[in-house]
Amino acid sequence: MLVGACALCASASNAMATDYYVRKSGSNGATGTSPAQAFRTIDKAADVAGAGDTVYVGAGTYTETVTPSNDGTAGSPITFIADTTGAETGDAGEVILQRAGTSGNALGSPR
């Protein structure tokens, strides 16, 4: 079980950090840079997020495999936050990441 924020670190850099949003009501054709333009999947956010970026994930069950395309750094990790309060995404509740054919893991506890 993962609790709170999950950070992925390695080697690339971003001059400016960006916040991305994932919601069950989102679209992978959106920009992902606001709750109103949120991505639908965590994997889409993981495809675009880079060093120093933060991904806020709204409530829901996400049945997918997440494979980041970019690396963070020790000083600028890519951070995924389960937004259980809805303060960032507008969607309060449990965030579950479930790989197809398995039971889910709740991500995060209330902030």
Side-chain angles (χ1 to χ4, degrees):
M1 183 159 123
L2 301 175
V3 179
C6 169
L8 303 172
C9 304
S11 67
S13 70
N14 239 2
M16 293 186 65
T18 302
D19 289 341
Y20 292 102
Y21 302 84
V22 177
R23 301 175 76 183
K24 293 302 292 182
S25 61
S27 167
N28 284 346
T31 63
T33 56
S34 73
Q37 289 292 314
F39 294 131
R40 176 143 177 93
T41 64
I42 300 168
D43 192 52
K44 175 63 177 178
D47 283 346
V48 300
D53 292 347
T54 299
V55 178
Y56 295 99
V57 183
T61 298
Y62 298 84
T63 304
E64 58 185 286
T65 299
V66 178
T67 307
S69 295
N70 301 301
D71 297 324
T73 65
S76 295
I78 300 170
T79 305
F80 292 81
I81 297 176
D83 183 28
T84 58
T85 66
E88 301 296 331
T89 62
D91 296 331
E94 190 171 49
V95 176
I96 299 172
L97 177 57
Q98 179 174 328
R99 189 179 309 187
T102 64
S103 60
N105 292 318
L107 302 179
S109 55
R111 286 175 71 182

